[in-house]
Structures are given as C-alpha cells and as structure tokens.
Amino acid sequence: MLRFAPSPTGDMHIGNLRVALFNYICSIQREEPLLIRIEDTDKERNIPGKENEIFDILALFGIEYQEQQFQSNNLRFHRAMALQLLQDKKAFNCFCSAEALKSKREAAYEGRCENLAPEEVIDNPLPFTIRLKKPTHSISVSDIIKGESTFAPDEIDSFILMSTDKYPTYNFACAVDDMLADVSLIIRGEDHLSDTPKQIAIHEALGYTKKVEYAHLPILLEGSLSIKWLLEEGFLPEAISNYLILLGNKTPLEIFSLKEAIKWFDLKSLSKDPVHFDIDKLRSINREHLRGLDPKELSRYVGFADEEIGNLAKLFLEETTTLKELRAKVGAVFEPKEVPQEYQEGFDILRDLTRKAPHFDDYESYKAYLIQHSGLNEENLLKPLRLLLSGAEHGPEMNDLYTHIKNYIKEVAK
Ligand code: GLU
C-alpha cells in the first residue's frame, strides 16, 4: 500500500500535488493500492470542505486511488495503542504543562515525568500528555532519494504521542495509521524527514517490524502556489503534472503525459537538492500541451464547440501560454472592438462592407473585394481590417485568421 496523506488545513498546493503524483505513479508501477488519508486530527487548523477540494483536484489530475480514509475515524486505535505503550512501559504520562516547559527554556524534554511513582501518576489531577520513552539507540532512515541519515536518541527525544485533549499528535497518528494500512513505501516532502525516526521509534515500540521504504522529496521552493489558482489562470492539469514530474528530475523527454511518465519514472533519478518552481517554464510547457490538444477540445476549453475556433485559438498560441489568455484573444474576435481614432473611419467602412459582402472562401478574394469597394489601398486597409477581424493591432497572419473565422465573418463584424 502507498498513501497520500494531506491535511485539510489549506488550499492544495503544488508541493502537495507533487507528492500525490509520485505516490500515484509508484503505486501503479509497483502494482500496489493507493490510499488517500485525510489527516484531520488537528481540529484547530482544519478548514471545513477542504477535503472535498482535495478529492476534486485528485480526480481532475487523473490520480486514481483504491482507498479513502479520514484519520479521525482511527481515533480509537490511536488511543488503544497509546494505552498499550503505557502498559508496556514504553510510554509514560507527563504532567508538565506547556508553559512550565517553555519557562524552563528547555531545548529538549529532560524526562522529568518518566520515573514518577505510580501514586504520583494515578492520583494526579493535572492534565497530562503521553510521551514515548526516548529510544536508547540511534535510528537510521534509509531513503531512496537522500540515502542514509542517522538520528541520535537526543534528536528523537521523549516526544508526545497523545496531547492533553486525548488526541494523537501527527507523528503518532501517522505511524499508527501507516502500520494499520500496511504501508510499504512512504513518499512525502523533505520537511518530514525529522519526523521519520520518531515514527520508526513508534513502530519499534509497538513491535511492528515491517521494513517500510521512504522517499523524502527535496524541498520545492515557492511550492505553496495553490492548484486552484493555477487552474483559474488557465494552466492545464496535464501541463502542471508534466512540469512537476520534470522538476529536478532526469526525464527522457520534456513534454509528456502522466501515462507516459509511468513507463519510465524513477524516484532514484530525482535530484537531492531543493528545486525552484519557475512559472515561466510551466508557461512554456502549458503552451506545448495546448498546441497538442485536439482542436475541438481546445474550442470547448475556450467556450465554443467548433473545430475551427480551436484552430483559431491555436494561432494565438504564438503570443499566449494559458487558457485564460487564449479566451481573452478569441473573445476579442467576437466582442465589440475598441478602435483608435486614426483607424475609426477605415474600420467603419470595412465593417459595413463586410456585413454586406458575399461569402469569400479565401482571404485574397475578400481583401480584393474590400479594396475595390472601400477606397482604401493595400497599406491603409491592413490595420483597421486586423482590428475588425481580431480586436487587436497585432497578431497572427491575416490569411490564417481569415481561414478560421470566415464562416463567422458576419458575427465578427457585427
Ligand atoms: N498530513 C501531513 C502533511 O500534509 C502528512 C505527511 C505525511 O505524508 O506523513 O504534511
């Protein structure tokens, strides 16, 4: 089993999506199921409805999974296992308040409550946490990307498993849930590397001996950009996935689909160093994916249902990189035009002529007709005509433009 374990505490961002994509790819490569576990035990930081946003984004990106869980439903297991650890003397009750610990400016917990007499525990009215006893040996994490890191007992410390409110900490809930789900490979961000020895210590204390593999992904700088925002800006899910798989990776080609990436993706090819999110690179990848779209599909993306409008949109890809920009360009062809004063007269003449003109199959005949009836010559006709046909002073070749809008010409000139 592999798992993606997002917290519903904010917008899903590109850092989360990268983790989700890699888990998905590896689950298919290894022929193991994928679990989506919503880590909703941090009651204060949860935002209602965020889990649905996560599921919607996973669906949009084609990230299929076999199981879905809410961590809060496992609360009884977290509590039962905490009790088990207390009974086995692998964990202890700690009555130190957060303030007391803070005021002593303790960098690390000093194990003050570890050796309390039983009556000091049983009769103690104070709120308490449950801490795991500091391990007596170093713990090594062997990571597919980063190699081996060893953590001394002091780095792991007697950390908290259950808070005073009887809810598990992230490390405890995560370690228990991964164990219950029989997770074999954990792919997550490097920010969790220091959690891993703690989670291994929990597994050891619970007598769980399965050798879990780990892959901690190098930090993604500027990785907090929200997926919702990128989609609203008009980046295609295919392009975003492509870029996130390409980033800090050695790939056989630059433009590819998620399906193709499954054939060659290898966690071992990922760079160990932090990677930078570069929106300009994403723009150029997005343009290539837009170019590759079937014209009919592209037409739908820009709000029409005609192949010709898809082809028209493709012409504008020379000067745009997102669907939002494309929609604006295609929209400007059909919207009322704003015309600079100097071209207004010519524009009005050409618009009236076009409204009355017969159908011309090619641009040259249409232009010849306009020249013949407008009194404008080849040169001073061009700008007002371009404004009439596209709403802009610069853009694609007139010939190409005409080819794709000729069937709509009366509407364009309305
Ligand atoms: N809920 C944690 C997060 O979103 C999960 C980390 C993990 O994969 O263990 O960062």
Side-chain angles (χ1 to χ4, degrees):
M1 176 82 82
L2 277 80
R3 78 341 175 248
F4 170 56
S7 305
T9 51
D11 279 356
M12 182 144 161
H13 56 62
I14 49 173
N16 305 131
L17 181 62
R18 187 170 66 140
V19 172
L21 281 168
F22 292 2
N23 271 298
Y24 167 68
I25 295 174
C26 292
S27 79
I28 297 201
Q29 287 178 336
R30 294 175 171 228
E31 299 181 2
E32 288 191 53
L34 176 63
L35 159 72
I36 309 300
R37 184 173 69 230
I38 303 292
E39 300 211 321
D40 58 346
T41 36
D42 189 343
K43 299 183 296 308
E44 249 118 74
R45 291 178 57 231
N46 283 348
I47 302 176
K50 281 290 159 198
E51 65 279 7
N52 291 330
E53 215 173 276
I54 295 171
F55 291 129
D56 288 348
I57 288 175
L58 294 177
L60 192 65
F61 281 76
I63 298 176
E64 289 164 10
Y65 48 89
Q66 289 64 43
E67 278 189 45
Q68 180 184 309
Q69 261 184 24
F70 286 83
Q71 187 159 63
S72 53
N73 289 338
N74 282 350
L75 214 53
R76 60 189 190 285
F77 298 117
H78 306 139
R79 288 179 179 156
M81 292 199 197
L83 280 177
Q84 181 68 48
L85 290 172
L86 282 175
Q87 266 166 19
D88 294 349
K89 307 257 176 296
K90 300 212 160 127
F92 60 93
N93 296 80
C94 172
F95 297 92
C96 302
S97 67
E99 291 73 33
L101 292 173
K102 230 183 270 156
S103 66
K104 291 231 157 36
R105 297 233 186 106
E106 284 179 321
Y109 178 76
E110 282 170 346
R112 197 166 330 121
C113 296
E114 194 176 323
N115 297 309
L116 295 178
E119 59 278 12
E120 282 178 281
V121 176
I122 291 163
D123 296 334
N124 202 325
L126 292 171
F128 63 88
T129 59
I130 299 176
R131 289 180 184 264
L132 189 75
K133 283 189 186 169
K134 176 158 67 176
T136 50
H137 57 279
S138 299
I139 292 184
S140 288
V141 178
S142 97
D143 185 284
I144 294 175
I145 302 165
K146 307 221 143 254
E148 187 115 338
S149 334
T150 301
F151 297 81
D154 279 348
E155 288 175 88
I156 300 166
D157 210 359
S158 299
F159 61 94
I160 298 178
L161 303 177
M162 297 292 286
S163 308
T164 48
D165 62 2
K166 315 240 177 316
Y167 271 73
T169 55
Y170 154 68
N171 274 318
F172 189 49
C174 182
V176 168
D177 293 349
D178 286 338
M179 182 179 93
L180 293 176
D182 191 26
V183 169
S184 51
L185 166 61
I186 293 180
I187 304 174
R188 60 184 166 201
E190 190 184 291
D191 48 325
H192 288 291
L193 184 58
S194 61
D195 294 318
T196 302
K198 294 185 173 158
Q199 296 175 13
I200 294 176
I202 294 168
H203 285 171
E204 285 182 0
L206 288 168
Y208 185 60
T209 53
K210 177 168 177 142
K211 182 112 187 64
V212 179
E213 286 185 89
Y214 292 92
H216 290 90
L217 305 180
I219 302 280
L220 175 56
L221 297 162
E222 290 91 44
S224 57
L225 212 59
S226 106
I227 302 296
K228 216 164 71 182
W229 181 81
L230 285 175
L231 295 169
E232 278 163 13
E233 280 304 296
F235 290 96
L236 294 173
E238 297 81 343
I240 301 172
S241 301
N242 183 157
Y243 179 53
L244 290 177
I245 295 167
L246 184 74
L247 205 56
N249 196 357
K250 287 185 221 74
T251 62
L253 61 173
E254 193 168 81
I255 304 297
F256 47 81
S257 67
L258 183 52
K259 250 206 181 115
E260 285 165 335
I262 292 170
K263 293 191 202 128
W264 45 253
F265 179 82
D266 185 358
L267 284 170
K268 290 196 197 76
S269 307
L270 292 174
S271 138
K272 293 184 181 33
D273 303 321
V275 283
H276 262 277
F277 181 84
D278 174 3
I279 192 123
D280 290 331
K281 183 71 190 170
L282 176 60
R283 282 184 180 284
S284 74
I285 292 175
N286 200 49
R287 189 204 311 254
E288 291 314 310
H289 280 269
L290 287 168
R291 278 206 175 110
L293 282 181
D294 169 68
K296 196 120 192 207
E297 198 178 352
L298 181 57
S299 158
R300 273 198 297 273
Y301 275 129
V302 294
F304 293 80
D306 176 9
E307 191 171 334
E308 278 311 321
I309 302 295
N311 286 323
L312 170 69
K314 287 201 183 195
L315 294 181
F316 290 116
L317 279 174
E318 292 300 320
E319 44 187 314
T320 58
T321 57
T322 67
L323 277 177
K324 187 172 168 182
E325 293 164 353
L326 266 189
R327 282 186 203 115
K329 290 279 175 196
V330 173
V333 171
F334 293 97
E335 279 153 23
K337 278 93 185 177
E338 269 186 44
V339 184
Q341 195 54 47
E342 57 185 309
Y343 305 123
Q344 190 68 58
E345 196 186 334
F347 178 92
D348 290 342
I349 296 170
L350 294 174
R351 186 184 55 193
D352 294 343
L353 272 176
T354 302
R355 282 176 179 171
K356 292 184 214 125
H359 179 78
F360 294 103
D361 212 40
D362 62 292
Y363 175 62
E364 286 309 318
S365 317
Y366 168 61
K367 188 172 74 177
Y369 173 87
L370 294 176
I371 291 175
Q372 194 190 350
H373 294 88
S374 64
L376 296 165
N377 61 27
E378 176 105 32
E379 213 173 298
N380 53 25
L381 163 129
L382 210 59
K383 267 279 152 79
L385 184 56
R386 182 179 280 290
L387 280 161
L388 179 68
L389 301 190
S390 72
E393 284 186 52
H394 306 280
E397 290 287 331
M398 292 292 278
N399 194 17
D400 297 335
L401 198 57
Y402 185 77
T403 305
H404 300 306
I405 60 172
K406 64 186 177 197
N407 293 335
Y408 292 95
I409 197 81
K410 305 281 181 218
E411 212 180 312
V412 169
K414 74 176 177 293

